[in-house]
Amino acid sequence: MSRQNYIFTSESVSEGHPDKVCDRISDEVVDLFLSKDAQARVACETLVTTDRIVLAGEVRCAGKVEDDEIEARVRAAVRDIGYEQEGFHWETASVSNYLHDQSTDIAAGVDAGTGSYTEEGAGDQGIMFGYATNETPDLMPAPIQYSHEILSRMAKLRKDDRSLGLEPDAKSQVTLVYENGLPVRAGSVVISTQHHEGLSPADIREIVRPIVLDVLPEGWMCDEQDFYVNPTGNFVIGGPVGDSGLTGRKIIVDTYGGAAPHGGGAFSGKDPTKVDRSAAYASRYLAKNVVAAGLADRCTIQLSYAIGVAKPLSVYLDLHGTEKCDAAKLELALPEIMDLSPRGIRETLGLNRPIYARTAAYGHFGRQPDNQGGFSWERTDLVESIRQFAG
């Protein structure tokens, strides 16, 4: 039987963290190509360092995408994040573009009607996990959800009031105390944020403390000695000047903060034929609907695929001993509830759209679906179907 009393920690990083700058740029590239061709293929990696942005990867697109369009999109993303500092400025950083045409061998395995299969196959082999828990209204683990929300609100405050002296690079970390399997209070909170010269940790504490108080449920705030703000003191040099960044290095931040397994594949920079992305969204969609249907308090779903093969090789369900239905029966029903082929996932969730740049920071899950089709995997429109199959 699982432990009921414990402490658990998750961290988040802001949109200005070097790795997240890369995720945002890579997803901007995905969106640009999908805006030209809904069937575009993109695998874009980004590196950032002092005064330099480098793109690499492979693409295929029926529409024409000019190099200057890509560069303009990259600079606009960096400007929106807020980088206008010496050593990394949206207007003056060099942009090197090494994107090239997609491998014909990969294309043959993925495209419908080519290669050894007549159905559109997965873009790669791999395993993907989805998870949901009823400990927050968005059915996310509380530590990662609160960590994201703190930084999201800090970013809004920073952009609304530049005079505060906050800069884009930031991290948060929330440790929660669990009793009887549910979070009851914060054991500690850590906030580190880049700032203008002259601001002290005490100054920043005064800025961010009200945000933390507002994000955490009433009465959950940790003791003051356990609230750490810029614990190293100065954090003036930050972003790609202080540390290089790469696409796909924050996969736990992007998902469940360590509260659930991860298959290892990153999301950003990949079009939705890549099951690293689309099947992770599908498994979250199913897991969230299982919990929303009241059939379990927690749900983990694993899917596995082979490159060029349409159907998943395996579907695994774990309700962690919280089930209120026949788990084995529900597991068998999942492929009947949703078409889990790459094409089926994309069509069900409407993934062939330029909706990805806004997923790049503050988590791919636990977000509200928007009216442009973004975060469709957060819908709970399968609840009735799941209840019927669960019988």
Side-chain angles (χ1 to χ4, degrees):
M1 188 172 181
S2 62
R3 291 174 59 194
Q4 296 294 296
N5 300 320
Y6 55 93
I7 60 173
F8 193 84
T9 303
S10 294
E11 73 154 350
S12 180
V13 298
S14 73
E15 63 200 79
H17 185 282
D19 294 332
K20 281 288 139 199
V21 173
C22 293
D23 285 346
R24 169 71 179 274
I25 290 171
S26 293
D27 276 337
E28 291 283 359
V29 171
V30 172
D31 283 353
L32 176 59
F33 277 87
L34 288 176
S35 72
K36 304 280 187 173
D37 173 15
Q39 305 305 317
R41 302 288 188 261
V42 184
C44 176
E45 309 293 344
T46 303
L47 167 120
V48 296
T49 186
T50 304
D51 278 330
R52 185 169 293 275
I53 301 166
V54 181
L55 308 182
E58 50 188 33
V59 297
R60 189 182 67 183
C61 184
K64 184 67 173 175
V65 180
E66 302 288 351
D67 286 349
D68 60 356
E69 288 182 272
I70 295 173
E71 181 172 335
R73 194 76 170 241
V74 169
R75 294 192 186 279
V78 175
R79 183 180 187 180
D80 182 65
I81 291 168
Y83 276 112
E84 296 183 333
Q85 63 189 42
E86 184 178 354
F88 197 74
H89 193 295
W90 66 270
E91 198 169 25
T92 59
S94 71
V95 178
S96 302
N97 179 2
Y98 297 103
L99 294 170
H100 59 84
D101 290 341
Q102 183 188 49
S103 159
T104 55
D105 289 342
I106 293 175
V110 175
D111 292 344
T114 61
S116 302
Y117 298 90
T118 57
E119 291 184 81
E120 179 185 296
D124 202 352
Q125 72 177 49
I127 57 175
M128 301 84 209
F129 288 91
Y131 181 71
T133 172
N134 64 4
E135 63 188 57
T136 63
D138 290 315
L139 305 185
M140 284 288 289
I144 189 67
Q145 193 77 345
Y146 296 145
S147 295
H148 286 325
E149 184 63 22
I150 288 167
L151 290 184
S152 179
R153 295 196 193 189
M154 284 174 57
K156 184 177 187 309
L157 181 64
R158 168 176 60 85
K159 293 177 180 181
D160 289 346
D161 188 354
R162 296 299 301 274
S163 69
L164 290 172
L166 300 182
E167 290 288 354
D169 194 358
K171 288 185 175 183
S172 65
Q173 184 171 285
V174 175
T175 299
L176 295 184
V177 177
Y178 283 71
E179 295 178 359
N180 299 317
L182 292 173
V184 295
R185 59 184 171 85
S188 65
V189 176
V190 184
I191 307 291
S192 295
T193 181
Q194 185 187 11
H195 58 87
H196 291 181
E197 189 72 69
L199 279 179
S200 69
D203 296 328
I204 297 168
R205 188 187 195 92
E206 188 174 330
I207 295 170
V208 303
R209 190 176 188 277
I211 294 174
V212 176
L213 282 172
D214 196 45
V215 168
L216 294 176
E218 186 175 358
W220 278 36
M221 184 62 179
C222 61
D223 294 337
E224 283 303 307
Q225 67 265 25
D226 297 315
F227 180 39
Y228 302 93
V229 177
N230 280 23
T232 61
N234 225 32
F235 188 3
V236 174
I237 300 172
V241 180
D243 191 11
S244 62
L246 291 170
T247 302
R249 288 205 300 195
K250 289 293 177 282
I251 59 176
I252 299 303
V253 171
D254 285 344
T255 53
Y256 308 102
H262 196 295
F267 303 155
S268 290
K270 298 176 181 177
D271 74 76
T273 66
K274 279 71 170 175
V275 284
D276 278 341
R277 177 166 228 160
S278 56
Y281 291 169
S283 55
R284 160 65 178 175
Y285 180 49
L286 289 170
K288 184 174 183 180
N289 276 269
V290 167
V291 176
L295 300 181
D297 297 333
R298 296 167 58 206
C299 176
T300 299
I301 291 173
Q302 184 206 60
L303 304 176
S304 70
Y305 291 84
I307 188 167
V309 180
K311 297 296 183 182
L313 303 186
S314 65
V315 179
Y316 167 79
L317 173 76
D318 184 0
L319 300 180
H320 304 278
T322 69
E323 56 263 36
K324 302 171 181 64
C325 65
D326 185 333
K329 181 179 179 182
L330 180 57
E331 181 179 83
L332 292 173
L334 292 177
E336 303 299 320
I337 294 168
M338 180 180 180
D339 180 353
L340 293 172
S341 68
R343 181 189 293 275
I345 292 170
R346 294 203 315 279
E347 290 179 350
T348 299
L349 298 179
L351 298 182
N352 282 107
R353 290 180 282 186
I355 57 174
Y356 298 106
R358 54 192 179 274
T359 70
Y362 313 121
H364 291 246
F365 308 123
R367 312 278 289 274
Q368 291 300 310
D370 61 41
N371 56 15
Q372 286 84 45
F375 303 101
S376 56
W377 48 93
E378 292 297 310
R379 302 187 315 238
T380 53
D381 53 353
L382 293 181
V383 164
E384 290 308 317
S385 295
I386 285 175
R387 285 174 177 160
Q388 290 173 11
F389 273 95

